[in-house]
Amino acid sequence: MKELETLQTWLDESRSTVFFGGAGVSTESGIPDFRSVDGLYNQKYQYPPESIISHSFFKANPEEFYRFYRDRMLYLDAKPNAAHRKLAELEKAGKLAAVVTQNIDGLHQAAGSKMVLELHGSVHRNYCLKCHKFFDVAYVKNSEGIPRCDACGGIVKPDVVLYEESLDGHTISEAVRYIEQADVLIVGGTSLAVYPAAGLINYYRGKRLVLINKTPTPYDHSADLMITGKIGEVFSQIRV
C-alpha cells in the first residue's frame, strides 16, 4: 500500500512526530465511540447521553449521572490494542514526542506511553469536590449511588471534562506546543468535530499532516496523506 510506505518513510525521517487521536483509537479495544451507528449517541436512555454528561446535569441529578457513567463510560477490562502499543514503541524508540488524546480511558498509559496529554481528562482520576481528596476509578466503580468522600462526605467527581466545562489550560498549551513543533502530525480515530480539541490541528505548521480514519473528516482537504481504515490495523504494519 503506497500510503503506508509514505507514512513509514515520514516516520523514519521525522525528528518530532506527534499523534493526535480520538475515540476511534479505542474502539478496537471494545470501547464504543459517541457518533458511530453503535455509538453512545445512538443508544436509548431516559435522557440523551450528551445531556447526561453535562456539568449542569451532573449538578442537578448526580445519581442519574453516575448510573449512566458506571454503565456506559467505565470499560475497566479494556486492553490496549495495536495502535496504543505501537505508539508506545515509537515513543520508546525516540520517534514520537507526544500523544494528544481526546480519550479518557488511560489505555495509552497502560500500553507504556509516557508523554500523554489528556484533553478531556481521565476516568482514573477522581476528586472530592469539597476537600479534593483523590480516589481511584475502582472507588467510583464499586460505590453505590453517588460516590461520597470517605473523609468529609463530599461528592466525588471524575476528573473528566463534561459538556459546558472548560478544558484544562495547561494541557491545551502543552498540546499546542508539541503540535507546533512537530514535523509529522498523525491524526487518527477522530471525527475532528468536537471543539475546542479539533481546532488544535490548526496549530500544525509542517508539511506532513497524516489523517487516518474510517470516515471523512472536515480536515480531509488539509491532509498531506490520507489513509482510510482502522487505526490499529494501520499501525500494526508500521516498523519501529
Side-chain angles (χ1 to χ4, degrees):
M1 183 178 175
K2 184 166 168 290
E3 290 85 1
L4 267 173
E5 291 173 16
T6 301
L7 175 59
Q8 184 70 60
T9 300
W10 288 2
L11 282 170
D12 292 343
E13 295 174 351
S14 171
R15 298 180 321 280
S16 178
T17 295
V18 170
F19 178 79
F20 175 44
V25 179
S26 293
T27 51
E28 288 169 75
S29 294
I31 299 177
D33 67 5
F34 277 75
R35 288 173 172 75
S36 69
V37 174
D38 300 318
L40 292 181
Y41 281 1
N42 291 298
Q43 298 183 21
K44 297 292 180 272
Y45 288 91
Q46 188 175 352
Y47 303 92
E50 62 266 36
S51 297
I52 297 174
I53 52 175
S54 68
H55 178 81
S56 53
F57 191 96
F58 173 81
K59 296 281 284 184
N61 201 341
E63 190 158 4
E64 185 66 24
F65 169 88
Y66 272 109
R67 189 177 296 123
F68 177 87
Y69 181 80
R70 287 190 191 94
D71 185 39
R72 302 309 307 168
M73 298 191 73
L74 294 182
Y75 291 87
L76 305 185
D77 294 330
K79 298 287 187 281
N81 61 49
H84 298 108
R85 293 192 296 270
K86 189 58 59 88
L87 287 165
E89 289 175 31
L90 288 165
E91 182 189 41
K92 191 174 181 181
K95 296 182 178 181
L96 184 79
V99 168
V100 180
T101 181
Q102 295 171 283
N103 297 337
I104 59 175
D105 50 47
L107 289 180
H108 286 293
Q109 291 93 330
S113 290
K114 305 298 183 189
M115 180 48 67
V116 182
L117 296 164
E118 297 171 308
L119 298 174
H120 295 151
S122 171
V123 299
H124 296 280
R125 299 187 299 269
N126 304 271
Y127 298 95
C128 172
L129 291 175
K130 282 177 72 176
C131 74
H132 308 296
K133 182 178 177 180
F134 171 86
F135 295 91
D136 64 15
V137 67
Y139 187 89
V140 172
K141 178 77 171 177
N142 298 328
S143 60
E144 297 287 332
I146 303 167
R148 295 276 180 179
C149 176
D150 58 8
C152 75
I155 293 177
V156 175
K157 181 184 180 294
D159 186 20
V160 298
V161 180
L162 304 177
Y163 285 109
E164 305 163 357
E165 294 180 343
S166 300
L167 274 61
D168 177 72
H170 176 71
T171 305
I172 284 283
S173 62
E174 282 292 279
V176 167
R177 183 171 69 84
Y178 275 104
I179 288 171
E180 281 181 331
Q181 294 174 357
D183 47 26
V184 176
L185 176 62
I186 304 173
V187 180
T190 172
S191 62
L192 290 172
V194 178
Y195 286 84
L200 290 175
I201 195 173
N202 295 318
Y203 289 95
Y204 179 57
R205 298 286 179 261
K207 302 255 188 284
R208 292 182 167 183
L209 172 61
V210 184
L211 291 189
I212 306 171
N213 209 40
K214 291 193 296 182
T215 56
T217 80
Y219 285 86
D220 286 0
H221 65 283
S222 302
D224 301 297
L225 177 65
M226 279 188 58
I227 301 176
T228 302
K230 292 182 177 180
I231 193 153
E233 293 178 3
V234 172
F235 270 99
S236 66
Q237 300 174 73
I238 294 295
R239 301 182 308 277
V240 176

